[in-house]
Amino acid sequence: MRRALVALFVMLATALGLLAAPQQAIAANRDVLRPDNSGTCEWDAAGYWVQRCDVWSEATGRNIPVQIVAATNGGNAGLYMLDGLRATEQSNAWLVDVNAAQIYEDSNITLVMPVGGASSFYADWEAPATYDFNNPVVYKWETFLTSELPAYLEQNFGVSRSNNSILGLSMGGTAAMNLAAKHPDQFRQVMSFSGYLATTLPGSQTAFRAALLDGGMYNLNAMYGPLLSPRRFENDPFLNMDGLRNSDVYISAGAAVPGPQDADYLPEHVASGVALESYANFITRLWGLKARASGINFTEVYTPTGIHNWEQFGSQLEETKGRVLDVMGAW
């Protein structure tokens, strides 16, 4: 009898151990540095399990750094987070001006934050992006984000190619809406925070040309070609919104009125923030009017205060966290 009880205890302990092992492995999903094109990813200074990974882009002929936070429990959902016009090569601003990794600290979704792409609108450009032809800047962001990066994420982080959300601020909001509309098989959800959602309206191209010159002497004509190029219209969120009919869509903008949260900004920064947010608010509302008339389901939020700055963008990131996790099944 004693031997039988001991044997039964051993069997139960073994069974429990086999059941516990996968759970422990899943719980440690964020603790493992994944392989990348330089060998292995590195821990990023942002903390909160952010890995900096070099992902090879055949389209651009170089490694593109991506800051990634693995899903807490091994979930297969991904959240792509796009930067603004003045994106740097050091870090995605979602980890500098707002710590997105901290906000999503206990979430079962993989955060995907590409680094770089200043003034790119995350597009595939037709020619080198700047006027410095001795040091050409090759932008093939759409190819990277919708083809090359998903393959890497699937293999190394378990992210599904068809279970993704995408968001962006300002320039990144414009790009997020474009990419989601053109690749609905990849992105089930899209969010634009103060994005510019109509890019070919009269005067828009002139405004974008000035913005790209100010953002680093980037050549707007190198993006989609001549002014009347069909590609300009194919990449206008105002014109390609039909691709979002089966997506969860959220758009927002501030009222272009400074609030208490903006008290510490310099007057000149407040002035530029008001001007930029005024246009973002107008163009976002215009997009909403057409989308509603077209029968597209979406949510629009216009905050009573807020200018074009990280107080506005960060508050929207926190506001939409629950929505992202609900839609993507990533709690």
Side-chain angles (χ1 to χ4, degrees):
M1 180 64 71
R2 182 180 297 172
R3 289 179 179 176
L5 289 173
V6 170
L8 179 61
F9 176 79
V10 170
M11 290 174 62
L12 287 172
T14 302
L16 289 172
L18 290 173
L19 289 173
Q23 293 174 349
Q24 291 169 355
I26 291 174
N29 189 53
R30 285 183 166 174
D31 295 339
V32 180
L33 282 172
R34 304 310 205 274
D36 70 356
N37 198 52
S38 62
T40 61
C41 302
E42 299 176 348
W43 292 118
D44 192 271
Y48 294 96
W49 297 281
V50 178
Q51 303 186 34
R52 188 182 181 97
C53 305
D54 288 328
V55 182
W56 175 252
S57 169
E58 188 67 32
T60 59
R62 68 179 182 93
N63 286 327
I64 294 180
V66 184
Q67 291 163 302
I68 304 172
V69 182
T72 304
N73 297 317
N76 72 350
L79 173 58
Y80 288 61
M81 310 182 75
L82 304 184
D83 213 331
L85 189 80
R86 300 182 188 279
T88 74
E89 296 295 328
Q90 286 69 52
S91 177
N92 186 300
W94 286 110
L95 289 171
V96 177
D97 297 279
V98 174
N99 196 334
Q102 182 180 14
I103 292 171
Y104 276 86
E105 181 176 3
D106 298 317
S107 305
N108 195 25
I109 190 168
T110 297
L111 304 186
V112 181
M113 295 164 280
V115 177
S119 298
S120 70
F121 281 85
Y122 293 97
D124 280 358
W125 288 46
E126 293 194 354
T130 68
Y131 291 96
D132 183 0
F133 299 111
N134 293 320
N135 299 287
V137 176
V138 178
Y139 277 160
K140 297 293 181 182
W141 279 103
E142 182 174 352
T143 295
F144 178 71
L145 293 171
T146 62
S147 178
E148 297 169 336
L149 183 56
Y152 172 81
L153 293 171
E154 181 180 53
Q155 181 177 354
N156 296 286
F157 287 85
V159 177
S160 169
R161 298 193 190 205
S162 59
N163 192 34
N164 296 280
S165 174
I166 186 168
L167 65 80
L169 68 113
S170 191
M171 175 191 86
T174 308
M177 296 289 278
N178 262 335
L179 292 171
K182 295 171 70 177
H183 303 274
D185 54 333
Q186 180 179 355
F187 300 110
R188 297 175 47 223
Q189 180 185 59
V190 58
M191 292 174 289
S192 167
F193 305 151
S194 306
Y196 300 108
L197 306 186
T199 58
T200 58
L201 290 179
S204 294
Q205 292 296 299
T206 299
F208 287 130
R209 186 180 305 279
L212 265 60
L213 288 172
D214 182 64
M217 294 301 293
Y218 290 88
N219 177 10
L220 181 66
N221 286 349
M223 189 185 298
Y224 297 130
L227 186 62
L228 297 180
S229 166
R231 289 199 64 214
R232 289 188 186 271
F233 302 97
E234 293 167 3
N235 289 278
D236 184 345
F238 192 75
L239 300 178
N240 65 23
M241 62 174 67
D242 278 351
L244 300 175
R245 290 193 178 277
N246 297 316
S247 303
D248 181 69
V249 182
Y250 177 99
I251 58 175
S252 73
V257 175
Q261 70 275 15
D262 305 308
D264 294 332
Y265 282 83
L266 295 173
E268 57 268 32
H269 294 159
V270 171
S272 63
V274 167
L276 290 168
E277 198 66 14
S278 293
Y279 187 60
N281 185 297
F282 166 74
I283 217 73
T284 298
R285 288 180 184 273
L286 189 65
W287 188 96
L289 287 174
K290 184 189 176 188
R292 191 174 296 106
S294 301
I296 294 174
N297 293 319
F298 66 99
T299 298
E300 57 185 341
V301 172
Y302 302 102
T303 57
T305 62
I307 61 178
H308 208 71
N309 62 20
W310 280 95
E311 303 299 330
Q312 177 71 15
F313 313 142
S315 68
Q316 284 299 293
L317 183 67
E318 295 189 22
E319 182 70 24
T320 56
K321 175 184 174 182
R323 184 187 185 108
V324 171
L325 298 182
D326 282 343
V327 171
M328 305 309 295
W331 287 97

